[in-house]
Amino acid sequence: MTNDAGEAFRPTPVVVLGVVPGDPPYRMVEVNGVLAGPAHDMVDVIRLARQAGVSEIDFDDPAVVRWVGGGKYKWVP
């Protein structure tokens, strides 16, 4: 195992938490470690991330978005 001093740990900028049952169900979104708000779909995730200063969002890149409790298509309990 090598330790590259130039490479620092970087947390995932966008974290989409598990589905919360509700009417309608939603997922809470954290951006840069701060709770940004609820999302009802992927468009809401983009909106919340942009409002928090993250402009480039690749839903398939685990270095950018981490899906907790289900992937990007999981929006109901």
Side-chain angles (χ1 to χ4, degrees):
M1 184 167 139
T2 61
N3 184 7
D4 185 0
E7 186 176 321
F9 170 75
R10 295 182 191 192
T12 307
V14 179
V15 178
V16 183
L17 302 173
V19 176
V20 176
D23 188 21
Y26 61 94
R27 298 176 78 162
M28 294 304 292
V29 178
E30 293 180 358
V31 182
N32 294 321
V34 177
L35 193 59
H40 296 97
D41 54 32
M42 289 187 280
V43 174
D44 284 344
V45 175
I46 293 169
R47 178 183 51 79
L48 291 167
R50 286 188 177 162
Q51 287 175 347
V54 177
S55 58
E56 295 296 322
I57 302 166
D58 180 351
F59 288 135
D60 297 319
D61 185 351
V64 177
V65 179
R66 181 165 55 104
W67 299 93
V68 178
K72 63 185 175 184
Y73 297 116
K74 174 94 172 142
W75 292 95
V76 293

